[in-house]
Amino acid sequence: MSLVLDNVTLTYPDGDRDRVLAVDGVSLSVPRGRLVGLTGPSGCGKSSVLSVAGTLITPDSGHVEVAGATVEDLDAEDRARLRREQVGFVFQHDNLLPDLTALEQVLLPVHLAGGRPSRHRARARDLLAEVGLADAVDRRPGQLSGGMRQRVNIARALMGEPAVLLADEPTSALDSHRAAEMIDLLVRLVSEHDVAALFVTHDMRALDDADEVVRMLDGQVAELTHAR
Ligand code: ADP
Ligand code: MG
């Protein structure tokens, strides 16, 4: 398993004394090459689960494993390294920098990790070609459609060859046609890049194509469906 959450509980401070129970004993696991859809009503804890899975938030209790590493055993520095090396994120909004070309956006993680972008340019170009942007490598976000920007995001998330890909409603800002294309693309990339993907969505198409669907309600896993 590339991603394991076992009995994870997470609370947030709420006012002076109370805490909100955002994730309540959630267990799930995602093997490499599989796409797990995470769905449920707004506020049920989906983004919180993703933040825990991506080691962005340390849960109050429970066990988290990413690419074989036990997250609760790591200090902040090792967690950050694990996140950088093994986790790719795709968010609802594309988070692209307005002045960078598509190629530069994809190379940004290499920059941030202190690597030399020149050595990685060919791979970045290949990834952009894989997401259908071979002809757009030199375009800046203002010259790309919403769907294209989201595809740059996906290429960037895969740049570090992560074991785990986390996507939070990546199709919710797209029309249904573009959303369907995006889902087909994600399904293909998950198997080609052999990543464990956890994908928050309300899109029925996406849930149909997922290997497994986890339905949350009030911070808990309400239902788990094996699609195939
Ligand atoms: P979803 O992604 O399913 O909409 P979230 O994980 O964002 O759900 O939120 C789960 C619960 O935790 C909600 O009650 C939300 O209000 C609360 N919550 C989320 N983030 C924070 C935060 N940073 N501080 C306090 N409460 C939060
Ligand atoms: Mg959310």
Side-chain angles (χ1 to χ4, degrees):
M1 289 294 165
S2 266
L3 174 64
V4 178
L5 270 66
D6 187 20
N7 203 14
V8 165
T9 293
L10 171 70
T11 61
Y12 295 107
D14 180 33
D16 287 342
R17 289 204 322 232
D18 289 346
R19 298 190 70 87
V20 183
L21 182 57
V23 180
D24 184 7
V26 165
S27 300
L28 58 85
S29 55
V30 190
R32 284 194 93 125
R34 292 297 169 94
L35 181 69
V36 172
L38 184 58
T39 194
S42 177
C44 71
K46 305 178 298 294
S47 295
S48 299
V49 165
L50 232 58
S51 297
V52 169
T55 80
L56 291 168
I57 298 183
T58 304
D60 298 38
S61 61
H63 166 66
V64 182
E65 219 175 284
V66 173
T70 298
V71 175
E72 60 270 22
D73 288 350
L74 304 178
D75 61 20
E77 194 181 322
D78 286 339
R79 268 201 314 276
R81 181 179 313 121
L82 179 69
R83 189 184 315 135
R84 204 164 57 227
E85 293 178 351
Q86 301 292 356
V87 184
F89 291 97
V90 179
F91 296 104
Q92 177 176 358
H93 298 289
D94 49 56
N95 297 312
L96 300 179
L97 296 168
D99 292 336
L100 299 187
T101 65
L103 187 63
E104 290 165 342
Q105 315 272 0
V106 176
L107 284 167
L108 196 60
V110 176
H111 258 297
L112 296 178
R116 281 210 219 131
S118 56
R119 293 197 188 158
H120 300 270
R121 206 159 274 142
R123 176 174 161 76
R125 279 183 187 282
D126 286 348
L127 277 168
L128 283 166
E130 244 187 285
V131 299
L133 293 177
D135 296 331
V137 292
D138 294 323
R139 292 206 216 161
R140 293 186 166 74
Q143 302 165 294
L144 298 168
S145 70
M148 290 166 103
R149 289 200 296 274
Q150 199 52 296
R151 282 186 272 153
V152 172
N153 238 12
I154 293 171
R156 181 175 58 183
L158 292 172
M159 187 61 200
E161 297 181 66
V164 174
L165 181 68
L166 302 172
D168 200 347
E169 308 198 30
T171 62
S172 62
L174 305 176
D175 63 52
S176 63
H177 177 69
R178 298 261 150 65
E181 277 179 1
M182 181 70 61
I183 290 151
D184 290 344
L185 177 66
L186 275 170
V187 168
R188 180 160 60 76
L189 291 172
V190 164
S191 106
E192 281 172 6
H193 289 263
D194 206 25
V195 290
L198 184 60
F199 179 10
V200 174
T201 186
H202 301 287
D203 192 315
M204 291 315 294
R205 259 296 303 282
L207 296 173
D208 278 350
D209 284 351
D211 296 295
E212 198 175 299
V213 174
V214 176
R215 247 170 241 288
M216 286 183 69
L217 188 65
D218 300 335
Q220 300 182 340
V221 173
E223 188 191 2
L224 203 150
T225 318
H226 296 271
R228 296 178 218 160

